[in-house]
Amino acid sequence: MKLDVDVLRYLSRDDFRVLTAVELGMRNHEIVPTELIDRIARLKHGGTYKVLRNLLKHKLLHHDSSKYDGFRLTYLGYDFLAIKTMVNKGVFVSVGRQIGVGKESDIFEVAREDGTVLAMKLHRLGRVSFRAVKSKRDYLRHRSSFNWLYLSRLAARKEFAFMKALETHGFPVPNAVEHNRHCVVMSLVQGYPLVQVKELQNPGVVFETIIGIVVRLAEHGLIHCDFNEFNIMIDDDEKVTMIDFPQMVSVSHRNAQMYFDRDVECIFKFFRKRFNISFQEIVDDVGGSDEGRVEGGKLSFSEIEKSAGFLDRELADSGFTRKDEEHIQRFIEGGAESDTNSDGEGVDSVKDLNESNIIDGDSSHLLEQDDRYESEGKEESCEAGESSGESEK
Ligand code: ADP
Ligand code: MG
């Protein structure tokens, strides 16, 4: 995804005003009626229409006239709103090269005024769905289809909250700097994703460190759920940093055991294949450092769960609510449906809306999914899940 930040410089206050009006309108509308945008933006002398044309030209908005005349934000439009806010807050002053393309995010370098380089993650939840198997009936019953804007915002909020809490508890994670909308700014990790590392001085030590992290996470009440060679960064000194937290769950989750086993198995499998560490060596290593937790060559989750700590409860106070977690999990586990034939909410109700209820409206009713990307399933196996997760380093 190209992020032409030069455009930022050419955008006026009115441009951002109209862009924000579309964002507000999207709380209740899949496509925001042009007339409504004009009413929210309140530019003089029909200024909104001229601005809309400009925003369309720069691909910050998408025009749709299939049902009625209206607009919606594109990823780029949403990116610009978040970036503008970050710049206004003084979080960074410029955006540099793209350093990662994840399944559901784009990662860029950004620079502070003093030249410090940070990493900016733009969440794109809904770009691909997490599972091939979707529960259509469940979706219809609970109306669990959310738009990508809302989901991406939730993912960012969750990632930020988890990263902060994990850092506080001494886990090797990036420093969480700031978040806004679907955007998280964090410290730049030196090094490479483990998947790109062909050789290690001390594969045994690195392996133990990594397994130690999974175990300690569980002791703190959490499971990463996507713990694999794409989400573990390693630097020249073979120091390990864990990244990518939107899918983490509590050890009290009903599938906790399965997620935990899958995380551990991913690591076992990767080290076996890449570094030829034999299964016995692995068991001996882990058995030595985590006595009582290895049963028949497997880490025993029940032993760990018994001592589960407080981190998941602590997170509940971080601004990332239980309701947020329910919504994001419903999407991750059930897969959100693309909703082109929605129940029509927001489509015929333009006349009933006034500005205040748009602004105060609950955004959880959003019913749009970006249709530019084909839905595709996330494989259960570790490697297939992130086939596009290579960084450019
Ligand atoms: P996704 O959820 O899309 O998989 P990730 O958080 O795993 O996104 O990031 C994708 C890639 O971007 C990573 O594999 C890594 O190469 C790079 N990346 C992510 N965060 C950082 C960071 N803080 N510092 C350096 N590189 C990063
Ligand atoms: Mg990742």
Side-chain angles (χ1 to χ4, degrees):
M1 152 119 199
K2 204 165 169 294
L3 189 66
D4 181 7
V5 280
D6 276 351
V7 176
L8 253 182
R9 255 173 263 154
Y10 305 118
L11 294 180
S12 65
R13 273 191 66 204
D14 283 357
D15 288 326
F16 273 103
R17 200 177 162 87
V18 173
L19 211 52
T20 308
V22 177
E23 184 187 28
L24 287 172
M26 282 184 75
R27 292 192 174 191
N28 288 322
H29 293 270
E30 188 182 338
I31 303 289
V32 191
T34 307
E35 121 201 10
L36 183 62
I37 300 170
D38 186 38
R39 260 197 288 147
I40 303 172
R42 281 194 295 201
L43 295 186
K44 285 184 192 130
H45 314 302
T48 303
Y49 299 89
K50 207 178 114 209
V51 169
L52 282 171
R53 275 199 301 280
N54 188 40
L55 296 174
L56 195 62
K57 190 180 94 194
H58 290 301
K59 297 193 163 55
L60 305 185
L61 294 180
H62 172 81
H63 182 234
D64 189 305
S65 56
S66 54
K67 288 182 191 155
Y68 53 89
D69 181 40
F71 292 84
R72 65 165 168 78
L73 284 175
T74 59
Y75 278 138
L76 195 63
Y78 203 41
D79 293 348
F80 275 33
L81 284 170
I83 290 170
K84 174 86 172 163
T85 306
M86 292 283 189
V87 171
N88 286 352
K89 279 185 174 173
V91 180
F92 56 79
V93 294
S94 65
V95 180
R97 67 190 184 111
Q98 182 159 8
I99 51 171
V101 190
K103 292 184 302 296
E104 296 186 297
S105 73
D106 288 304
I107 323 267
F108 293 85
E109 284 183 350
V110 292
R112 280 192 184 283
E113 198 154 24
D114 67 5
T116 315
V117 179
L118 302 170
M120 169 178 75
K121 178 167 176 177
L122 297 164
H123 284 267
R124 315 251 187 245
L125 225 65
R127 176 153 84 183
V128 292
S129 80
F130 277 66
R131 288 271 174 102
V133 184
K134 295 170 181 173
S135 168
K136 182 79 179 169
R137 263 173 302 147
D138 192 56
Y139 148 67
L140 287 171
R141 210 171 332 123
H142 302 295
R143 299 184 56 228
S144 61
S145 170
F146 299 117
N147 98 353
W148 58 264
L149 239 88
Y150 174 63
L151 287 165
S152 301
R153 201 161 63 220
L154 278 187
R157 202 185 306 158
K158 178 170 179 181
E159 178 143 85
F160 186 83
F162 277 61
M163 205 165 8
K164 260 221 131 48
L166 290 170
E167 187 188 8
T168 307
H169 287 272
F171 283 90
V173 296
N175 170 242
V177 176
E178 186 66 86
H179 73 111
N180 179 265
R181 295 180 174 82
H182 63 321
C183 170
V184 175
V185 177
M186 64 189 115
S187 62
L188 186 74
V189 180
Q190 302 300 328
Y192 318 90
L194 189 56
V195 66
Q196 293 177 14
V197 178
K198 302 288 176 240
E199 237 174 273
L200 286 171
Q201 294 286 330
N202 301 298
V205 174
V206 173
F207 172 77
E208 266 201 54
T209 307
I210 291 172
I211 290 297
I213 294 172
V214 197
V215 171
R216 205 153 67 82
L217 267 182
E219 285 169 350
H220 280 74
L222 292 170
I223 300 166
H224 186 286
C225 291
D226 204 6
F227 199 69
N228 55 46
E229 61 275 24
F230 296 92
N231 291 327
I232 295 165
M233 308 278 290
I234 187 144
D235 71 8
D236 291 338
D237 299 326
E238 307 198 341
K239 183 176 167 287
V240 168
T241 307
M242 149 176 79
I243 59 167
D244 201 359
F245 315 105
Q247 67 294 315
M248 286 184 81
V249 300
S250 159
V251 290
S252 56
H253 188 284
R254 66 186 185 292
N255 295 327
Q257 175 80 58
M258 186 270 281
Y259 289 139
F260 178 80
D261 289 347
R262 195 177 63 185
D263 277 359
V264 171
E265 183 53 29
C266 280
I267 301 304
F268 275 33
K269 213 164 110 188
F270 178 76
F271 274 82
R272 205 158 47 216
K273 264 169 73 181
R274 176 74 55 95
F275 302 110
N276 203 21
I277 294 190
S278 78
F279 193 70
Q280 196 49 50
E281 266 176 81
I282 289 171
V283 172
D284 289 347
D285 274 358
V286 179
S289 57
D290 289 275
E291 238 166 289
R293 287 180 179 146
V294 182
E295 288 170 357
K298 267 185 107 176
L299 280 174
S300 163
F301 179 69
S302 52
E303 273 304 309
I304 293 163
E305 195 188 9
K306 272 182 221 154
S307 58
F310 46 88
L311 194 52
D312 60 339
R313 285 193 293 278
E314 214 174 278
L315 278 161
D317 305 327
S318 69
F320 182 75
T321 65
R322 197 167 285 276
K323 191 176 138 208
D324 291 342
E325 178 61 15
E326 271 170 32
H327 285 174
I328 206 166
Q329 281 303 327
R330 212 186 296 164
F331 173 77
I332 290 172
E333 291 175 359
E337 293 287 333
S338 169
D339 194 87
T340 42
N341 56 346
S342 73
D343 61 7
E345 179 175 354
V347 172
D348 300 319
S349 57
V350 186
K351 293 186 190 72
D352 305 330
L353 288 169
N354 60 43
E355 221 175 292
S356 63
N357 80 20
I358 294 163
I359 290 164
D360 297 332
D362 177 357
S363 55
S364 64
H365 299 301
L366 292 173
L367 288 164
E368 188 229 10
Q369 273 242 302
D370 200 303
D371 56 7
R372 284 176 301 168
Y373 298 88
E374 290 274 296
S375 287
E376 95 193 17
K378 179 191 168 173
E379 301 287 331
E380 292 290 311
S381 97
C382 336
E383 297 191 7
E386 293 203 34
S387 49
S388 65
E390 298 277 326
S391 103
E392 288 171 359
K393 273 178 204 162

